[in-house]
Amino acid sequence: MSKVRLFRLTPVLLLFSGTALSADEFPVNIGGHVRLNYSYQDWQEVELRDGFGFESLKLTVSGETDQFSYKADYRWYENTDFNTVRYADLTYHYDDRTSVSAGITKVPFGLLPFASNSFWFSINYYIGFEDDYDPGLVVQYQKSNWDIRAGYFFNDEYNDAGRFGRYSFDIADNGEFRNQEDGQYNLRVSYTAGLIRGATTEFGASWQAANVLNLDTLNEGDMNAYALHLRHTQGPLGVALQYTDYDYDLAAPQDQATDRLALSAFDFPFLTASKAHSYTAAVSYELPFRVTGLSPIKCYSEYGAVEPDVAAGLRSTQWVNGCSFGWRALYFYVDSIQGKNMWFSGGSGIGLDLGGNQDSTHRLNISLGLYF
């Protein structure tokens, strides 16, 4: 990343004590990416199955002092023609153990920072439980092998359930199923142990509770979710496991189905089961040989399933096999994705029997990114 100095600071960048930070004390790092994608999708018409083109442009800024750090990530997606914030937060480091982050910040739930290694993330990303960001406040406390994070989030990042062009998967108003996030509590606890010499194993549990406002009845429903997760790293080998259970109790209009709700991201809304549990399992391995000029080649296999607990439910699965590696400022992902009844893999939704394409599908995706 290139480094420049910020000569003017807005009044937002203030110490919690009320003292302004000077420009000389607050450096700015500027980075980002430009990515191209090749995609082959076997469920499309033959003439439309493959193509190569510009995927996204990302701009990031970050900086830190002894007590403060900040970061922001904004993206422009060409293939779906929208732009969006990913995160934008300010962190106060009270001491070596305690920090407070405020802004559009990461929801502390499940395996962090990611449950996956692939370009496409795990199936949990698509139901809102991986790499999710919302406006709120997160307190993190670390001591010895313990990591405890608690947060409160006000709503989705735009406070607009009808805006589908977003990075995080959030509750949506699709015109029929009209719900909106309206306050959310999170608690995540993890413990890292050295059970085997030269290896680390992280055990964790996460809990989430939220209000869900129905925009037709203007009554509050709620949701509850929990997850149990484990990450084991032993030299070049990595294993990540997570079980997630969630339940939405929606305040829907009379005679409207409550076994489903709309979610949205990447400019499209879709329906998912309102009550389900998911399983994810990922294995990764850094190949032992080295190629001159290349970063270590990591290969992985990641499987996920959403098992609905509603009468109209139908299992959704996603299985990703691939490898990633870097060469100087370039980074490559080569992923083979198999989906079944899975939105983003040709399916109509997630966890529901909505008709449409319920066969197994295959997508080959090759991402070429220039990171700076």
Side-chain angles (χ1 to χ4, degrees), residues 236 284-291 295-300 323-324:
S284 64
Y285 185 76
E286 285 192 0
L287 301 184
F289 60 83
R290 295 290 183 264
V291 178
S295 67
I297 300 172
K298 178 188 285 189
C299 294
Y300 41 80
C323 295
S324 62

Side-chain angles (χ1 to χ4, degrees), residues 93-100 139-144 146-148:
H93 304 274
Y94 177 74
D95 54 29
D96 291 340
R97 297 177 178 176
T98 307
S99 63
V100 182
V139 179
Q140 180 177 7
Y141 178 77
Q142 295 175 298
K143 183 178 181 181
S144 186
W146 290 96
D147 185 312
I148 302 171

